[in-house]
Amino acid sequence: MTTSSPEASSAVFEQHVIDPEICIRCNTCEATCPIGAITHDDNNYVVDADKCNACMACIAPCPTGSIDNWRTMLRDKAYSLDEQLGWEELPEQQVIEAAAAQACAAANGSGDTGNASAPVVHTGTMAMSATVPPWSAATPYTQLFGPKAAQPVAMAKVVGNQRVTEAAAHGAEDNDTHHVVLDFGDTPMPLLEGQSIGIIAPGADGKGRPHQPRQYSIASARNGERPGYNNASITVKRVLQDHNGNAVRGVASNYVCDLQVGDTVQVVGPFGASFLMPNHPGSHIVMICTGTGSAPMRAMTEWRRREAKTGKFADSQLLLFFGARSKTELPYFGPLQKLPTSLITTHLALSRESNQPKRYVQDAMLEQAAALLPLLTNPNAYFYVCGLKAMEAGVLHALEHICTQNGLDWPNISAEMKAKGRLHLETY
Amino acid sequence: MSGINYSEKIPNNVNLSDDRTLQRALEQWQPNFINWWDDMGPDGSTNMDVYLRTAVSVDPQGWAQFGHVKMRDYRWGIFLNPGQDDRTIHFGDHKGEKVWNDVPGEYRANLRRIIVTQGDTEPASVEQQRHLGGTAPSLYDLRNLFQINVEEGRHLWAMVYLLHKHFGRDGREEADALLQRNSGDQDNPRILGAFNEETPDWLSFFMFTYFTDRDGKFQLCALAESSFEPLARTTKFMLTEEAHHMFVGESGISRTIQRTCQVMNELKTDDVNKLRAAGVIDLPTIQRYLNFHFSVTIDLFGADESSNAATFYSTGIKGRYEETKRDDDHVLKDRTYPVLELKDGQLVQKEVPMLNALNEVLRDDYIKDSVGGVERWNKVITKAGIDFQLRVPHKAFNRNIGALAGANVTPAGEVVSEAEWRLRVGEWMPGTEDRAFIASLMHRVVEPGKYANWIAPPAVGINRQDANFEYVRFN
Ligand SMILES: Cc1cc2nc3c(=O)[nH]c(=O)nc-3n(C[C@H](O)[C@H](O)[C@H](O)COP(=O)(O)OP(=O)(O)OC[C@H]3O[C@@H](n4cnc5c(N)ncnc54)[C@H](O)[C@@H]3O)c2cc1C
Ligand code: SF4
Ligand code: SF4
């Protein structure tokens, strides 16, 4: 491996790996990869980290999905071919050392990857996400508070906690999303729309260690939930099930949802240096979200609303695709309805509204292909995707479909969007 | 018929809209194909919307478009992998010459025969599987069955294209005959024996897609080496689809095993009767199905010594699996290869000229590949902490073609008397009772996210869809 500079040697990257328990050794990927990054022996098919450029050409043709696996790694600790050839199963994602991750962030201008204090979820499609912010984004501060910072935590006071979704049929706790306002008093906490903070729940985990912080996107604009105050809001959904549908009470989300006004909370962060909004006149924002993924979208929309009176964004479009199971589960549904159509165009996609066919965000996007198509190639249009991990593939497929249907080359366009900070994915 | 919008209806990269002759030929064939599909395609599926993957071009972006489609409206396309301008023939007597874009007159009959034989297997599998939809263990599995069916249909199109484009009137007749023969038909059966066997249940289906579609992979790989460029390029593209079929087989059996192991652990038993009563398929039964399908499939490679195979190779029509990756002279005139024969009641190896043993070479490559997957099934058993291993039977077990046809050899490779074979065959191959038991488990499960009791859910959804995604919508 060529590691000339110290930055490069500690750089964090997404290593492309194949799940040996699911792969059927059909050779499709090896035959597809345009640059010969895939090889095999009698045991396994493996990807050469020195060669693979994450072009994604092999992803769709693989019949099993085993090829679409990624591990956040330090460059110089990448799994070698020999190691991978010996695998019987895929190793777990390792926690990346914070120092190295920060060195990487400093080197490539991104703080999004591999915060030790808040592991980020990665999928294959994440490799499409930009690691640079839009050129006109404001400069973010990151990691002012955390294990490696001078001060490990900031204390914030709860000044508001309000439920923003209706109680659903299955009881008061079902589908329970809260809008929580935190005041930082005289502790400096500069935040931009699209960034997140980490919250540490009190107490200890099963092994007696303090809880890891959980990340929550900022739902308020840069000058505060209430303009001119050192406060910010977050949107938190009570987790009652794990991703497989088994009952578990999420540690941090339940703690936050149950907070009372006047309680104090331990906060780390801010996190995120690329999922940031453009600030130049004429810049368009396309927001695609489900559930609490609406938090950063609310923040960006609110900042544009506050800026509206300057006239700077008169020629800018805000386009929102918002998915939920039903209207009652849409956070901020009421306030969203009150926004003027001159500011924002909203397309809802409800998947479980009775008497209506299922609609997912990607369906709404495909319907709006005519509006999205010119924006995909417009250098002033920026796309943001946020919400549950399951939505990501569908959204990317929709964008791809809109391109290919119209004779545009999606691999080129998405690569360009990634390079120019025009496509941002944040799913969890 | 009113004519077809070619690029929309038949996605293709063979310039179909510019080729009047080909268009006319396909226009005549296409309605017969649809009639055949209606008569012999998946039973009772006409109104279902199925979440299918459609190829609209050969590049990675174009060949996996997902959406709900009625199978009858599936866009059966004609695709050739992109060609290389300067490809030369890399094996046989013509080694070093330029590849052929037209059929050389002297090889016409052989090439046609190969294409017809390959083409005949494609509609045959659809026919063999046509009743399976009625007992699918989940929507996910039902969708996979249908995906395989439409792709077999597309492979048929691929071969029909070659026949129409390159073989004139004979080609058109052969293309018609592909729709006239029917699997298991007494008077007009499919060309190869294994394709006249029934696929009565899902265990057989998974075994078939694991073992028999893998035969497809090896045949296609050997054809993808062909000096006849259109054949090489067509089969290369077909291989990417064949991979999905093998996946359905490999993961289907793996999920069946996983579920069985789970129940074995829950009930803390390996008692076959208790497991059957609990509604899962005991591992010895899986072994018997494996023995049967493996032995029937390795017969598909043909006789161990074959002068046809030698001719196909020397004339450059059909290469070996991964021909380019082998480091010999690629002419093979003075090489030998060991084949098995039965001599004085003993299995012995004899060396024969390699050119004549090329069927055996391909069979051995296939066996190695099959064994790999069986070992992956064994990992599922080991991981569950159960002391049992599945084994691929001996190459001479239950053979009906070639020198080993009729030899009485046990799965372990022991030669036994005819009488002993008859007495013990029920230990090694599924009997009436096994088949009845498997049949008793076959009930259709159509609630999204639900699976029949005998099979575990898949590890990942198709196109990463949710667990309770509606892969098939019934209208
Ligand atoms: C960059 C980023 C931004 C985020 N922004 C927000 C936000 O704005 N609002 C918000 O509510 N959440 C957000 N999250 C998710 C959040 O960080 C937590 O993962 C979530 O609140 C669950 O934490 P917990 O402590 O309650 O559950 P845990 O105790 O950590 O987990 C309990 C179980 O729930 C599963 N689980 C974890 N997260 C989820 C989930 N989101 N849905 C279903 N099951 C889950 C886990 O697999 C585990 O099995 C964000 C995550 C990231 C990485
Ligand atoms: S992502 Fe691209 S470069 Fe990497 S292995 Fe797949 S096809 Fe090859
Ligand atoms: S295409 Fe997928 S299943 Fe096939 S060898 Fe590659 S990773 Fe394995």
Side-chain angles (χ1 to χ4, degrees):
Chain A
M1 191 168 292
T2 46
T3 48
S4 45
S5 69
E7 286 89 349
S9 69
S10 60
V12 174
F13 82 118
E14 290 286 299
Q15 179 165 9
H16 188 182
V17 291
I18 295 177
D19 186 338
E21 286 187 291
I22 299 181
C23 166
I24 59 163
R25 285 76 174 164
C26 68
N27 200 57
T28 306
C29 51
E30 192 172 314
T32 309
C33 178
I35 55 169
I38 298 182
T39 166
H40 71 273
D41 67 0
D42 286 347
N43 193 34
N44 279 345
Y45 273 74
V46 296
V47 186
D48 188 338
D50 283 345
K51 291 190 184 154
C52 173
N53 61 12
C55 73
M56 300 284 154
C58 58
I59 305 295
C62 166
T64 63
S66 49
I67 190 104
D68 195 5
N69 280 292
W70 306 79
R71 290 289 178 269
T72 309
M73 299 294 292
L74 296 174
R75 260 284 163 207
D76 55 4
K77 301 258 167 65
Y79 296 113
S80 69
L81 286 180
D82 279 347
E83 256 174 294
Q84 296 179 62
L85 288 168
W87 282 350
E88 305 237 318
E89 52 190 69
L90 213 52
E92 292 284 321
Q93 172 67 57
Q94 308 291 313
V95 171
I96 305 280
E97 258 174 82
Q102 270 169 330
C104 158
N108 67 12
S110 158
D112 281 1
T113 330
N115 293 311
S117 48
V120 184
V121 186
H122 286 277
T123 68
T125 39
M126 288 299 269
M128 291 212 179
S129 185
T131 49
V132 291
W135 65 265
S136 61
T139 311
Y141 286 90
T142 59
Q143 320 233 24
L144 296 176
F145 303 91
K148 303 280 163 177
Q151 200 179 326
V153 291
M155 299 308 289
K157 200 158 158 194
V158 178
V159 293
N161 182 351
Q162 192 190 352
R163 179 168 180 152
V164 286
T165 48
E166 288 176 31
H170 304 291
E173 287 202 332
D174 185 46
N175 168 38
D176 188 13
T177 304
H178 286 242
H179 178 73
V180 177
V181 187
L182 299 175
D183 192 300
F184 296 98
D186 54 10
T187 308
M189 185 59 86
L191 294 166
L192 289 173
E193 305 80 11
Q195 285 195 290
S196 57
I197 53 170
I199 296 209
I200 306 175
D205 67 16
K207 291 183 181 145
R209 294 173 305 210
H211 288 298
Q212 289 279 329
R214 309 292 196 272
Q215 283 189 90
Y216 297 97
S217 306
I218 299 300
S220 49
R222 63 188 74 184
N223 57 352
E225 169 77 4
R226 191 169 163 200
Y229 285 74
N230 188 17
N231 63 13
S233 60
I234 55 178
T235 314
V236 179
K237 179 166 178 166
R238 193 185 286 283
V239 169
L240 298 171
Q241 288 183 338
D242 66 15
H243 289 289
N244 299 320
N246 304 319
V248 271
R249 281 187 86 82
V251 174
S253 60
N254 283 285
Y255 160 70
V256 174
C257 287
D258 293 337
L259 283 169
Q260 303 291 316
V261 169
D263 287 348
T264 47
V265 183
Q266 300 183 66
V267 176
V268 292
F271 300 114
S274 69
F275 195 107
L276 298 174
M277 66 188 290
N279 293 307
H280 61 284
S283 53
H284 312 298
I285 303 181
V286 179
M287 301 175 280
I288 302 158
C289 64
T290 56
T292 54
S294 58
M297 314 311 183
R298 178 184 185 267
M300 291 192 212
T301 307
E302 179 58 15
W303 181 237
R304 280 277 160 115
R305 194 187 66 81
R306 289 181 193 179
E307 290 270 281
K309 51 183 166 300
T310 65
K312 199 167 131 186
F313 296 106
D315 296 329
S316 297
Q317 297 179 46
L318 289 190
L319 211 54
L320 173 67
F321 292 89
F322 195 169
R325 291 192 295 189
S326 65
K327 268 186 195 152
T328 55
E329 295 195 8
L330 276 172
Y332 310 117
F333 181 63
L336 185 61
Q337 295 298 85
K338 295 197 191 91
L339 291 173
T341 48
S342 57
L343 178 76
I344 186 170
T345 312
T346 303
H347 301 284
L348 297 184
L350 303 174
S351 61
R352 299 238 184 113
E353 203 68 325
S354 52
N355 305 327
Q356 278 177 27
K358 285 188 179 165
R359 250 165 71 92
Y360 297 98
V361 272
Q362 56 265 39
D363 299 322
M365 290 169 67
L366 290 174
E367 276 167 28
Q368 295 299 320
L372 286 172
L373 182 66
L375 294 171
L376 280 163
T377 49
N378 182 335
N380 280 322
Y382 295 80
F383 285 65
Y384 299 83
V385 182
C386 184
L388 289 181
K389 196 174 160 187
M391 74 179 292
E392 200 176 80
V395 166
L396 287 172
H397 274 125
L399 294 176
E400 175 177 354
H401 190 72
I402 292 170
C403 285
T404 43
Q405 284 288 300
N406 291 283
L408 296 179
D409 183 9
W410 169 245
N412 266 342
I413 290 182
S414 54
E416 168 81 9
M417 291 177 84
K418 177 179 170 175
K420 295 281 159 62
R422 291 184 44 229
L423 177 59
H424 299 271
L425 306 167
E426 186 159 275
T427 56
Y428 36 85
Chain B
M1 68 167 271
S2 59
I4 306 165
N5 172 353
Y6 287 98
S7 45
E8 176 52 26
K9 190 93 186 166
I10 309 179
N12 68 86
N13 63 354
V14 297
N15 259 335
L16 192 51
S17 47
D18 294 344
D19 187 339
R20 285 295 306 152
T21 324
L22 184 58
Q23 269 180 42
R24 265 198 304 277
L26 288 174
E27 270 171 21
Q28 276 169 13
W29 189 81
Q30 199 259 3
N32 295 334
F33 171 79
I34 293 292
N35 286 342
W36 167 82
W37 183 269
D38 288 347
D39 294 346
M40 301 301 289
D43 213 10
S45 62
T46 318
N47 281 321
M48 299 178 192
D49 291 318
V50 187
Y51 188 66
L52 294 177
R53 175 183 77 180
T54 307
V56 297
S57 63
V58 292
D59 50 291
Q61 286 71 40
W63 89 266
Q65 293 213 344
F66 287 90
H68 282 92
V69 182
K70 293 207 191 327
M71 279 188 282
R72 203 177 188 266
D73 301 334
Y74 188 75
R75 297 189 294 154
W76 283 284
I78 301 174
F79 296 111
L80 271 54
N81 249 33
Q84 284 164 282
D85 289 343
D86 49 355
R87 199 166 84 95
T88 51
I89 297 173
H90 55 294
F91 63 93
D93 299 343
H94 297 286
K95 200 175 136 194
E97 295 169 22
K98 233 177 121 36
V99 292
W100 322 312
N101 276 298
D102 296 305
V103 184
E106 64 272 38
Y107 305 146
R108 192 180 169 85
N110 276 342
L111 261 173
R112 195 184 68 199
R113 183 156 132 214
I114 281 189
I115 292 169
V116 168
T117 311
Q118 177 66 41
D120 192 71
T121 65
E122 314 291 358
S125 339
V126 177
E127 292 167 352
Q128 288 175 296
Q129 295 159 11
R130 64 179 310 237
H131 299 300
L132 286 175
T135 54
S138 72
L139 281 187
Y140 166 89
D141 291 289
L142 185 61
R143 177 267 168 201
N144 281 344
L145 166 73
F146 289 162
Q147 178 73 42
I148 290 179
N149 291 164
V150 292
E151 281 171 1
E152 299 289 6
R154 206 201 65 74
H155 292 179
L156 170 62
W157 271 85
M159 293 295 117
V160 164
Y161 160 76
L162 291 178
L163 290 170
H164 278 175
K165 170 88 186 169
H166 297 278
F167 294 88
R169 206 175 118 206
D170 305 354
R172 289 197 293 280
E173 280 167 13
E174 293 282 18
D176 287 343
L178 287 173
L179 297 175
Q180 285 152 10
R181 284 185 291 273
N182 287 149
S183 175
D185 187 328
Q186 293 288 326
D187 303 323
N188 201 4
R190 292 291 173 189
I191 298 170
L192 299 173
F195 289 87
N196 290 303
E197 300 275 351
E198 269 182 71
T199 310
D201 56 66
W202 280 76
L203 184 59
S204 305
F205 170 63
F206 289 142
M207 289 287 176
F208 183 93
T209 42
Y210 181 81
F211 286 111
T212 312
D213 282 319
R214 188 176 306 271
D215 158 68
K217 163 183 164 178
F218 279 80
Q219 301 294 351
L220 292 174
C221 278
L223 294 177
E225 305 286 343
S226 181
S227 315
F228 180 44
E229 244 323 61
L231 178 61
R233 289 170 51 199
T234 310
T235 43
K236 243 185 210 134
F237 186 67
M238 288 162 72
L239 273 168
T240 49
E241 288 166 326
E242 206 66 37
H244 171 257
H245 308 186
M246 293 187 304
F247 157 65
V248 169
E250 179 161 339
S251 60
I253 301 287
S254 176
R255 289 160 53 210
T256 307
I257 294 172
Q258 192 189 331
R259 177 67 189 139
T260 303
C261 291
Q262 192 186 340
V263 172
M264 288 174 83
N265 283 332
E266 272 163 22
L267 302 182
K268 300 199 173 30
T269 185
D270 55 7
D271 181 326
V272 169
N273 291 325
K274 284 189 187 148
L275 291 168
R276 287 190 170 197
V280 294
I281 306 176
D282 52 284
L283 300 176
T285 299
I286 293 178
Q287 176 70 61
R288 284 193 289 276
Y289 270 72
L290 186 164
N291 291 347
F292 172 75
H293 284 271
F294 176 81
S295 57
V296 169
T297 304
I298 59 174
D299 266 347
L300 285 170
F301 290 87
D304 2 26
E305 282 186 78
S306 154
S307 56
N308 275 333
T311 310
F312 292 164
Y313 187 86
S314 295
T315 54
I317 291 177
K318 183 178 176 186
R320 283 171 296 173
Y321 173 64
E322 301 198 319
E323 183 70 48
T324 36
K325 293 195 185 158
R326 300 181 186 235
D327 46 9
D328 51 30
D329 68 356
H330 302 278
V331 182
L332 312 179
K333 292 265 191 247
D334 46 7
R335 318 242 153 179
T336 60
Y337 193 80
V339 298
L340 274 184
E341 64 173 359
L342 195 64
K343 207 171 176 184
D344 309 327
Q346 294 281 323
L347 284 173
V348 289
Q349 272 193 350
K350 69 167 179 179
E351 292 289 325
V352 302
M354 194 188 239
L355 276 176
N356 287 331
L358 283 173
N359 285 344
E360 194 67 7
V361 173
L362 196 58
R363 184 170 13 245
D364 285 343
D365 292 334
Y366 166 89
I367 289 175
K368 192 167 160 213
D369 201 51
S370 293
V371 170
V374 173
E375 288 310 322
R376 291 191 289 281
W377 293 338
N378 282 334
K379 282 188 187 157
V380 176
I381 305 178
T382 310
K383 213 169 169 177
I386 289 168
D387 185 20
F388 186 99
Q389 296 280 279
L390 295 164
R391 287 273 164 264
V392 163
H394 193 272
K395 203 206 275 191
F397 171 74
N398 188 37
R399 294 289 301 280
N400 289 302
I401 285 183
L404 297 169
N408 296 312
V409 179
T410 67
E414 214 189 316
V415 184
V416 293
S417 69
E418 173 79 20
E420 186 173 357
W421 166 271
R422 291 237 175 113
L423 197 67
R424 294 181 60 193
V425 69
E427 285 171 36
W428 306 320
M429 287 208 284
T432 341
E433 200 201 325
D434 291 329
R435 297 211 179 264
F437 166 66
I438 299 296
S440 76
L441 294 181
M442 298 295 128
H443 296 292
R444 195 179 211 187
V445 177
V446 291
E447 206 184 316
K450 290 273 180 317
Y451 292 82
N453 179 58
W454 55 270
I455 191 165
V460 226
I462 297 298
N463 195 23
R464 291 203 176 247
Q465 289 293 358
D466 279 2
N468 53 5
F469 183 73
E470 244 186 318
Y471 290 102
V472 180
R473 296 185 186 134
F474 305 91
N475 295 308

